[in-house]
Amino acid sequence: MNQRSLRLLPPMLPRDPKEAHRAASPLELFFDLVFVVAVSFASVQLHHMAAENHLGAGVLGYLMVFFAIWWCWMNFSWFGTSFDTDDWLYRLLAFIQMAGVLVLASGAAAAMEEHDFTAITIGYAIMRLALVPQWIRVALGNPQLRATALRYAVGITVVQLAWFARLLLPETAAFIGFFVLVAAEISMPIWAESRRRTPSNPHHITERYGLFTLILLGESILASANAVVESLHTIENLGALMTIAACALITAAGMWWIYFSRGHHHMITSLRTSLAYGYSHYVIFAAAGAFSAGVEVAIDQAGGHSELPAIATAGTLSVPVSLFALGIWLLILRRDLSPARNAVFLAGVAIILAGTFLPSVLPVAAVAAGIILCVVSTEHRPAAGPGLAVGAAR
């Protein structure tokens, strides 16, 4: 892209970080919907591997695949909050990223079961490299941000070449190389933004995170509905399945309540706080996605279709919900709650974890009871003004 071609397009100028009433665009909402496919494929594969008593391998594979999903979504979202020039080229490159999501989703099973990351790497590279022309366009149109934009463009390109080179390594070296390249990826914004920080709209970016949280919790609602559907085909396990469905719905509603009980925009004040907010959501998002797999595993156990031991089955529910609740507490709630409410909240998390060691359908009831206790201690305080995600924006 040269200066002449740049003149044919509006300049990629930074957005005002204090812009009022900044909401997610239709393109961003469309972009998020495509990620439902990738999250669903990873969650379903985790469910299958857990039910076949391959929980450890399933969790590790899920966390590796989920990194690719989360990192690509996050980079597009932060770029969109900084620039978001909604012309034909911007949209076309966003659509290319969406195509990469579908390629990545198609490789989730092979990556998690067979450690074959070929399709994952191709889909991931499509999503990441589609951002390079965007950053080059920023560099051409913004002298002040040129060094930052070029660092992103060069860094993304080099690391993607390294991801492809990783496919040629022996299995052990490739496994180690995965975490080395993850470290390179998450270090890139620190390096690039240290020269000059790109602007970000706190209300807009936290709304984007809230919307993605809703997508992930929607997966658990689907799992709850599956328990109802399954109960319609059997009488023998009707009580257990209906208990799972009800408790899963209660738990998902409680997780929603906890996440949106406070405004998040005050967390975006500097590069350090922005990175802390963004990176901590890997745990929050991954836990929310894994919860739906845990509900499906509980359904399998109730129907006698799971080879997983009872304690491990309960753990597929209790551990993700506990991590989700603790993640929000550490990030947002602990400074705002009174000591008494903090104690009640942590007691609720303790009840959730204790459910791991209960028999039959009691673990799901314990998880629901614990999340209710967390909700009780979390007084709802929405942010001022209207917004799509209550407490997340406006």
Side-chain angles (χ1 to χ4, degrees):
M1 186 181 298
N2 54 34
Q3 292 288 348
R4 182 177 181 276
S5 63
L6 183 66
R7 286 194 294 270
L8 301 178
L9 294 165
M12 184 76 81
L13 299 176
R15 298 285 293 258
D16 180 4
K18 297 181 180 179
E19 180 181 352
H21 308 295
R22 175 85 185 277
S25 69
L27 178 61
E28 288 173 321
L29 298 177
F30 187 31
F31 186 84
D32 286 357
L33 287 177
V34 178
F35 272 83
V36 174
V37 178
V39 172
S40 178
F41 275 42
S43 178
V44 167
Q45 189 59 36
L46 174 60
H47 156 224
H48 289 323
M49 294 183 71
E52 294 168 1
N53 202 13
H54 301 301
L55 181 60
V59 170
L60 178 60
Y62 170 78
L63 293 175
M64 294 172 75
V65 170
F66 198 88
F67 169 80
I69 298 170
W70 163 76
W71 188 246
C72 291
W73 176 88
M74 192 172 78
N75 276 266
F76 174 83
S77 298
W78 281 91
F79 184 90
T81 200
S82 298
F83 302 100
D84 191 24
T85 300
D86 192 20
D87 56 24
W88 67 268
L89 180 59
Y90 183 87
R91 292 182 178 187
L92 178 61
L93 291 170
F95 293 155
I96 292 173
Q97 288 184 279
M98 293 180 197
V101 176
L102 299 179
V103 175
L104 186 150
S106 69
M112 294 173 66
E113 283 189 347
E114 306 165 14
H115 309 292
D116 180 1
F117 280 81
T118 304
I120 292 285
T121 302
I122 293 172
Y124 181 78
I126 291 171
M127 289 188 284
R128 296 293 283 134
L129 290 173
L131 267 181
V132 172
Q134 305 275 41
W135 282 115
I136 292 175
R137 187 176 171 189
V138 171
L140 291 173
N142 299 271
Q144 300 87 350
L145 292 172
R146 184 166 297 156
T148 300
L150 290 177
R151 284 189 177 193
Y152 272 116
V154 172
I156 291 171
T157 302
V158 170
V159 174
Q160 299 325 296
L161 292 174
W163 280 114
F164 280 109
R166 173 187 167 275
L167 296 177
L168 304 176
L169 296 176
E171 184 174 352
T172 301
F175 180 75
I176 297 172
F178 177 90
F179 297 99
V180 172
L181 291 175
V182 165
E185 290 278 19
I186 63 178
S187 298
M188 194 182 308
I190 302 172
W191 170 62
E193 300 277 346
S194 64
R195 186 64 177 268
R196 187 182 182 94
R197 187 186 172 197
T198 53
S200 58
N201 186 300
H203 290 279
H204 174 259
I205 192 62
T206 52
E207 180 189 42
R208 298 285 291 115
Y209 275 82
L211 291 170
F212 199 65
T213 301
L214 292 177
I215 288 176
L216 294 167
L217 293 179
E219 295 286 334
S220 63
I221 299 298
L222 176 61
S224 178
N226 286 339
V228 177
V229 172
E230 184 73 18
S231 70
L232 297 177
H233 294 85
T234 178
I235 299 299
E236 182 180 354
N237 301 305
L238 180 62
L241 290 169
M242 293 305 294
T243 299
I244 292 170
C247 290
L249 178 60
I250 291 170
T251 303
M255 293 166 73
W256 169 87
W257 194 303
I258 292 169
Y259 188 92
F260 293 107
S261 64
R262 297 291 189 281
H264 293 197
H265 59 272
H266 65 279
M267 294 296 300
I268 312 297
T269 58
S270 64
L271 177 60
R272 183 184 63 83
T273 58
S274 297
L275 292 171
Y277 183 84
Y279 289 1
S280 63
H281 269 77
Y282 170 73
V283 175
I284 295 168
F285 284 168
F291 170 58
S292 64
V295 175
E296 296 283 5
V297 172
I299 294 172
D300 285 346
Q301 187 193 50
H305 306 305
S306 175
E307 301 175 13
L308 197 64
I311 290 181
T313 298
T316 63
L317 284 167
S318 60
V319 173
V321 177
S322 297
L323 288 174
F324 181 92
L326 282 175
I328 300 301
W329 180 76
L330 287 168
L331 184 64
I332 303 293
L333 299 177
R334 63 188 174 93
R335 301 176 187 88
D336 196 34
L337 296 179
S338 67
R341 287 183 178 272
N342 274 319
V344 173
F345 189 95
L346 293 177
V349 174
I351 290 174
I352 295 170
L353 288 173
T356 306
F357 307 99
L358 298 177
S360 187
V361 297
L362 292 179
V364 292
V367 169
I371 207 72
I372 289 172
L373 197 58
C374 292
V375 167
V376 168
S377 66
T378 310
E379 182 183 355
H380 180 59
R381 293 181 186 174
L388 179 57
V390 176
R394 309 305 161 248

